[in-house]
């Protein structure tokens, strides 16, 4: 349905992702060899967080359109193996939290098998499940893992979740989790719009030591150096919100 596209032949130097990607169940993915260089796409079929956040609906099937876009990308490294988790993770009866937990377990399991996991939404509430999947994996390997978050977004997404989680709360949830559990909260966000965030959100970001660049300053990003974030962390959670 979505892994289709142009075909220039079957030789290694003309292949595109749709020709090589393998759709598998989670059980089948767990059987793949650890030593392979592997990328796995995981789909999060959700806009429940957006609905709770009174946002514009329509993101639930975003992963379908992303895969259609990826399908024609050329394969430059024949040693990289592409996989797709056959069944999307879905929100059942509005239970966003259960879906985020399922996503976290899926991410953790795949990372334990040496996959580079690419999660496709859906709303940005995908980030809470993704982060916790990285955390579960990291904690199984080391005592005090440090996870750096790099987010490209117009919003901080650090709104109160007193009345429930949404697509606008996940980084405050992560910040509170880190504070409660004595972990470092290293959140770096690029593209913040002044008119899209209240003063309280800027104050919350300051309280938690968030590093951010305003959208109007993106032209100055030659000053932005990603190396320190990578060096001070053991793992990187990279997330992109298309707003």
């Amino acid at each position: 349905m979505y892994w289709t596209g142009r075909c220039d032949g079957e030789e290694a130097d003309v292949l595109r992702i749709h020709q090589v990607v393998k759709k598998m169940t989670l059980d089948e993915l767990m059987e793949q060899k650890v030593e392979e260089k592997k990328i796995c796409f995981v789909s999060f079929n959700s806009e429940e967080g957006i609905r709770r956040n009174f946002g514009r609906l329509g993101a639930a099937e975003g992963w379908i359109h992303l895969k259609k876009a990826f399908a024609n990308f050329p394969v430059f490294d024949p040693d990289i193996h592409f996989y797709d988790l056959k069944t999307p993770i879905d929100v059942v009866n509005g239970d966003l939290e259960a879906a985020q937990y399922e996503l976290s377990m899926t991410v953790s399991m795949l990372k334990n098998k040496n996959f580079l996991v690419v999660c496709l939404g859906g709303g940005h509430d995908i980030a809470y499940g993704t982060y916790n999947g990285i955390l579960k994996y990291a904690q199984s390997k080391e005592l005090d893992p440090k996870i750096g978050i790099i987010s490209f977004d117009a919003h901080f997404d650090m709104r109160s979740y007193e009345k429930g989680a949404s697509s606008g709360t996940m980084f405050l949830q992560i910040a509170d989790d880190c504070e409660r559990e004595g972990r470092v909260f290293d959140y770096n966000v690029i593209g913040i719009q002044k008119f899209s965030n209240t003063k309280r959100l800027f104050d919350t970001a300051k309280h938690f030591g968030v590093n951010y660049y305003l959208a109007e300053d993106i032209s100055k990003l030659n000053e932005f150096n990603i190396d320190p974030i990578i060096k001070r962390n053991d793992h990187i959670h990279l997330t992109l919100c298309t707003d």
Side-chain angles (χ1 to χ4, degrees), residues 9 15 17 26 52 59 61 73 105 108 111 113 121-122 127 129 160 171 190 206 224 238 241:
L15 291 175
I17 289 180
L26 187 59
R52 295 182 186 185
E61 295 184 350
F73 283 10
M105 295 303 295
S108 178
K111 285 187 67 62
K113 286 294 184 177
S160 170
F171 294 114
I190 303 164
K206 182 178 180 180
F224 178 73
L238 175 65
C241 185

Side-chain angles (χ1 to χ4, degrees), residues 42-49 52 59-64 85-104 106 120-123 125-126:
V42 176
S43 306
F44 192 62
N45 190 50
S46 169
E47 60 187 10
E48 174 62 21
R52 295 182 186 185
E61 295 184 350
W63 55 274
I64 294 176
L85 180 61
K86 186 180 294 185
T87 305
I89 294 172
D90 209 348
V91 175
V92 179
N93 297 324
D95 194 345
L96 173 63
E97 291 76 11
Q100 288 174 322
Y101 177 76
E102 181 182 353
L103 176 62
S104 73
T106 301
L120 308 173
D125 42 278
I126 191 175

Side-chain angles (χ1 to χ4, degrees), residues 6 8 10 12 18 21 38 53 62 72 126 135 137 151-153 155 159 162 166 187 210 215 218 222 233-235:
R6 178 177 296 157
D8 297 326
E10 299 297 328
H18 73 87
V21 67
K38 300 172 293 194
N53 202 27
N72 270 320
I126 191 175
L135 179 62
Y137 162 76
S151 176
F152 292 86
D153 199 345
H155 303 92
R159 296 174 63 182
E162 184 177 351
S166 76
Y187 178 34
V210 176
I218 285 180
N222 59 324
N233 288 289
D234 306 305
H235 308 271

